[in-house]
Amino acid sequence: MPKRSPDRDIDDYRAKRLCLYPPDRLSSLSDELILRTLSYLPVSELLICERLSHRLKGLAKDSQLWKSAYYNQFVRPRASRIPGLRGGELSARSLFYSSKVSKWLEDDHLVKRGRATNWKRQFKLRHNWSRGNCKVSETEVAERPSVPPLLVQLHEGIVVTVDSVDGLRAWQMKGDHKQLASMALNLNGASSASLFGPSSLAIDSSTSTLGKLNIALGFTDGKFSIYQLSIKKRIFVHNYTHIPSSNGTISAIAYASPYFLAMTESQLLSLYRFDPAADDSLGNTIFAPPTLLSSLKSHTAWPPLCLTIRASSSDILASIAYAMPTYLAGWSVGLQELRLTSEGSILESRLASGLNQGFAPLSIQQPPHSPNSRTPSPRRRGTDPGILAPSTKPTSLSYNHPYLLAVHPDNTLTLYMVTSNAQGLSIETGNRLWGHTSSISGAYVGDRGKAVSVSAQGNELRVWELEGGIRSITSRRRIAAGSTSVQVRPEIRDIGSQAVDDSLTENIGHALRIGLTAGSPLGEVATNKGWVAFDEEKVIVLGEKIRGAQTLVVYDFT
């Protein structure tokens, strides 16, 4: 067979190299035009574009693209649910995204001038909250249960715990959950803390921006103490301890420097004010004995209690939410607001309850059982979905104006909307929330109407979106359909797997999925201790293992 000439081989090679491809017109466009094109893509396709080239990867991460996606996905639907936002002053156009005139509601802190926000990270965080996607870990804080029980509070990623055994401790929940500081409670001798342990805990958030955290403790013998945590120095400083009182255990406290509010077991409400503090030779702050501004005795406030205090330049507003027994209607909730001057003079005292005003029909209809609850729901007045007459005593209360959330022993919660203005104080009729399939040990409601509840067994955690309350028809339909909450279902997933969930692809795409790890420790948590709290990134639950060890279960949504 004759050999081919070298010239013929070169011609064949050139012919193979001259294959025609479609012209690349996209690369010739300017960055501005490509960004304009990407702005019309859904999030799932925008994530795919990041993997096409280095140039598209940088453009697809543009902050304005994700800012627009965040607004359209999370802010605009919330705005459309809030009653009255579409009427009168605001036009329909104001509900669509614009970097200058858009209405960001409670997310306005993300768009403040001078703040650099990672909008893609914020989108991923909110998406994980809306779908219950999280990573779970735990931190053991005590080897055995204490008497009184361990108390916990959360503020901006720092968890403060206190008990009679290990004393006062602070934990950093970011990163590897390190312990920041610890301090024993041997105030009046070695055995004082064990005889009269801590019964209540509160954190003052007004000084957290200065790298310090003011902490208040109430004790079973009626005394209370003030501590300060220096985050940079990683130490606790004892500022003041009040003498014991004969009024019994301090069951609930609230602290907003320089004001301190306490409720005793004998239902005595006391408001104190601390004078400006002085520093000692070591630079530690020492408080003088506080001034008692006002003291009131209650005969209708029953536990559980929830105290809040808000101070302004002109007055002080102290609020106490409590359970109250009623005639023929079982248990309900009550709220009292005290408005005082900075000197302690009472300007106004207002009361409100969650009972229906006026007459109620004698005939009571029996509603169908909750689709997600094993126990029958309480009887309902009227025909409005969700409007119930609570008859069982609440097991816990959480109040963050205007949301008042009560937990009942029948696997349900009740949401009350509070109205407080110059005209008066009122509580709307409660709306029952279904979703849990076992008893609820605790719930916490935060800003923007987001709430978290956890079951007594610790195996069911739900995130509730309660913004707008029950005033609109849409909100009532969502409550009736059971779509106001999302159950957090942590599970182990293979991060490297290419299998894509269809529902997730429609919303955000495979690139934003994170591996969910339940971790084996969750199977050892036997019960939940009734405390749950959250911030923008995490939910923290206090649990107890089978052998009695106390642990903080952290649900990380980042």
Side-chain angles (χ1 to χ4, degrees):
M1 180 176 180
K3 295 183 179 181
R4 293 181 297 179
S5 63
D7 295 338
R8 184 178 178 184
D9 292 340
I10 294 175
D11 293 340
D12 293 341
Y13 176 76
R14 289 176 177 175
K16 294 179 181 179
R17 294 280 295 179
L18 291 178
C19 294
L20 297 179
Y21 293 95
D24 183 8
R25 296 186 175 91
L26 184 64
S27 299
S28 61
L29 298 178
S30 63
D31 290 348
E32 290 77 9
L33 289 176
I34 295 179
L35 284 174
R36 183 68 175 178
T37 304
L38 295 178
S39 65
Y40 293 100
L41 297 180
V43 172
S44 57
E45 297 182 10
L46 188 62
L47 293 170
I48 295 176
C49 290
E50 291 186 6
R51 293 177 279 177
L52 297 181
S53 66
H54 290 288
R55 184 188 181 192
L56 285 178
K57 181 179 181 179
L59 294 176
K61 290 183 177 180
D62 184 78
S63 178
Q64 291 300 316
L65 291 178
W66 288 98
K67 182 179 180 181
S68 176
Y70 182 93
Y71 184 87
N72 292 324
Q73 182 76 15
F74 302 111
V75 180
R76 188 152 59 96
R78 287 170 47 219
S80 63
R81 294 197 302 262
I82 296 179
L85 191 57
R86 285 188 175 273
E89 301 178 358
L90 300 178
S91 63
R93 183 180 180 183
S94 65
L95 294 178
F96 293 88
Y97 170 73
S98 172
S99 60
K100 293 183 179 180
V101 300
S102 58
K103 305 299 179 182
W104 285 85
L105 304 179
E106 285 81 5
D107 288 317
D108 57 352
H109 64 283
L110 298 175
V111 292
K112 286 183 178 179
R113 183 172 298 179
R115 176 188 173 97
T117 301
N118 187 337
W119 287 104
K120 182 178 179 181
R121 184 180 183 276
Q122 286 296 133
F123 189 100
K124 178 180 179 179
L125 180 64
R126 288 294 299 272
H127 170 80
N128 289 340
W129 273 102
S130 64
R131 298 187 62 87
N133 296 344
C134 65
K135 177 183 178 181
V136 182
S137 60
E138 70 170 26
T139 300
E140 185 174 307
V141 294
E143 296 181 355
R144 59 189 181 276
S146 61
V147 180
L150 179 76
L151 303 175
V152 190
Q153 286 289 343
L154 169 67
H155 179 72
E156 294 184 356
I158 296 178
V159 171
V160 177
T161 66
V162 62
D163 62 357
S164 58
V165 178
D166 297 307
L168 186 62
R169 292 175 294 170
W171 309 79
Q172 178 63 262
M173 288 295 103
K174 295 182 180 179
D176 52 357
H177 304 175
K178 291 183 178 180
Q179 181 175 320
L180 284 177
S182 63
M183 188 175 191
L185 296 180
N186 52 348
L187 302 176
N188 297 320
S191 62
S192 175
S194 59
L195 290 177
F196 304 103
S199 57
S200 53
L201 169 66
I203 295 179
D204 175 24
S205 60
S206 60
T207 58
S208 60
T209 57
L210 304 177
K212 299 179 180 179
L213 208 59
N214 290 336
I215 302 165
L217 299 179
F219 291 85
T220 55
D221 61 347
K223 69 172 179 285
F224 60 87
S225 301
I226 305 297
Y227 293 84
Q228 189 175 81
L229 170 64
S230 176
I231 301 175
K232 294 182 179 179
K233 297 181 179 179
R234 304 168 66 94
I235 59 172
F236 281 109
V237 177
H238 173 233
N239 299 132
Y240 176 77
T241 294
H242 199 64
I243 60 175
S245 172
S246 60
N247 295 309
T249 300
I250 296 181
S251 56
I253 58 176
Y255 186 34
S257 181
Y259 300 100
F260 176 81
L261 185 66
M263 186 76 169
T264 65
E265 194 176 29
S266 60
Q267 300 182 349
L268 180 67
L269 183 69
S270 302
L271 177 65
Y272 298 87
R273 182 189 63 199
F274 287 94
D275 294 328
D279 294 339
D280 60 10
S281 58
L282 299 178
N284 298 326
T285 304
I286 303 299
F287 289 178
T291 303
L292 179 61
L293 298 181
S294 181
S295 183
L296 299 174
K297 182 75 172 182
S298 173
H299 299 282
T300 58
W302 293 77
L305 305 172
C306 183
L307 301 183
T308 61
I309 182 171
R310 301 190 299 271
S312 64
S313 58
S314 58
D315 56 11
I316 311 162
L317 184 63
S319 303
I320 172 173
Y322 54 90
M324 57 179 294
T326 61
Y327 181 66
L328 295 180
W331 287 81
S332 184
V333 296
L335 181 68
Q336 181 174 4
E337 284 189 350
L338 296 174
R339 191 164 64 90
L340 307 95
T341 64
S342 56
E343 291 77 20
S345 301
I346 298 179
L347 299 176
E348 187 179 15
S349 178
R350 302 187 295 187
L351 289 169
S353 68
L355 293 176
N356 288 328
Q357 301 298 324
F359 295 98
L362 294 178
S363 61
I364 302 178
Q365 299 181 2
Q366 180 72 21
H369 294 340
S370 166
N372 297 322
S373 178
R374 297 178 183 175
T375 59
S377 301
R379 293 186 293 180
R380 172 184 325 200
R381 289 183 179 177
T383 58
D384 291 339
I387 305 298
L388 303 179
S391 58
T392 56
K393 182 182 178 181
T395 57
S396 68
L397 290 177
S398 179
Y399 177 52
N400 194 332
H401 185 77
Y403 307 98
L404 177 57
L405 192 63
V407 176
H408 298 282
D410 59 353
N411 310 347
T412 63
L413 303 95
T414 302
L415 172 66
Y416 300 89
M417 298 298 296
V418 179
T419 301
S420 178
N421 50 36
Q423 287 71 34
L425 175 69
S426 63
I427 302 178
E428 294 185 4
T429 304
N431 193 283
R432 192 60 60 95
L433 305 177
W434 295 287
H436 278 274
T437 58
S438 60
S439 61
I440 307 172
S441 65
Y444 175 77
V445 60
D447 298 334
R448 300 188 299 272
K450 179 185 290 185
V452 172
S453 58
V454 62
S455 65
Q457 297 300 322
N459 57 359
E460 186 179 5
L461 183 73
R462 284 194 170 269
V463 178
W464 304 82
E465 291 292 344
L466 307 176
E467 189 170 32
I470 57 175
R471 297 186 179 100
S472 64
I473 297 177
T474 304
S475 298
R476 295 191 179 188
R477 289 176 179 174
R478 292 172 63 237
I479 292 176
S483 59
T484 54
S485 68
V486 175
Q487 183 175 358
V488 178
R489 297 178 181 270
E491 57 183 351
I492 299 176
R493 291 186 182 180
D494 183 8
I495 302 178
S497 174
Q498 297 299 320
V500 182
D501 181 66
D502 294 335
S503 61
L504 189 60
T505 306
E506 296 175 359
N507 292 280
I508 191 171
H510 179 61
L512 279 189
R513 290 180 62 196
I514 60 174
L516 308 184
T517 58
S520 58
L522 289 181
E524 301 176 3
V525 177
T527 58
N528 176 263
K529 302 304 292 181
W531 180 85
V532 59
F534 66 91
D535 55 16
E536 292 185 355
E537 298 181 354
K538 296 179 177 66
V539 175
I540 301 179
V541 177
L542 176 62
E544 181 177 314
K545 291 187 177 181
I546 298 176
R547 297 182 179 179
Q550 309 287 298
T551 180
L552 295 176
V553 182
V554 182
Y555 298 80
D556 189 352
F557 291 83
T558 58

